């Protein structure tokens, strides 16, 4: 599945670059069909899980920014 998604993205961008379509939006409409709509779960456990997952992601992102700053200072 992932390879097809990447290939579709490349095809969309390539068709715009080749001027077959005037915009990414036009190329997306022409080259991609609507699929199944996935709606968010209403299960409170699923919501809690994703909120915690996002909290962890946010903490890791802040650590990455801090560590990058420290390493840039070390190289200065």
């Amino acid at each position: 599945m992932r390879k097809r998604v990447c290939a579709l993205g490349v095809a969309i961008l390539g068709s715009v670059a080749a001027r077959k379509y005037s915009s990414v939006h036009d190329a997306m409409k022409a080259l991609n069909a609507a699929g199944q709509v996935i709606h968010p779960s209403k299960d409170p456990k699923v919501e809690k899980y994703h909120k915690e997952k996002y909290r962890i992601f946010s903490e890791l992102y802040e650590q990455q920014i801090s560590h990058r700053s420290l390493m840039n200072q070390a190289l200065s």
Side-chain angles (χ1 to χ4, degrees):
M1 173 73 166
R2 191 175 300 186
K3 288 181 181 180
R4 284 186 277 164
V5 171
C6 291
L8 177 59
V10 168
I12 289 169
L13 295 175
S15 66
V16 174
R19 301 185 194 275
K20 180 166 176 63
Y21 299 102
S22 60
S23 69
V24 172
H25 186 261
D26 289 342
M28 287 171 59
K29 286 193 316 187
L31 298 174
N32 193 20
Q36 178 185 5
V37 176
I38 307 295
H39 297 281
S41 172
K42 296 185 190 287
D43 183 343
K45 288 182 180 179
V46 173
E47 181 180 1
K48 183 178 178 182
Y49 171 83
H50 286 290
K51 281 185 177 181
E52 282 301 306
K53 191 173 180 179
Y54 182 73
R55 184 185 63 77
I56 292 167
F57 163 80
S58 296
E59 288 176 9
L60 291 172
Y61 178 76
E62 291 301 322
Q63 286 179 17
Q64 177 188 9
I65 298 300
S66 174
H67 293 161
R68 184 179 296 154
S69 176
L70 290 170
M71 298 312 296
N72 285 338
Q73 289 174 14
L75 294 174
S76 298

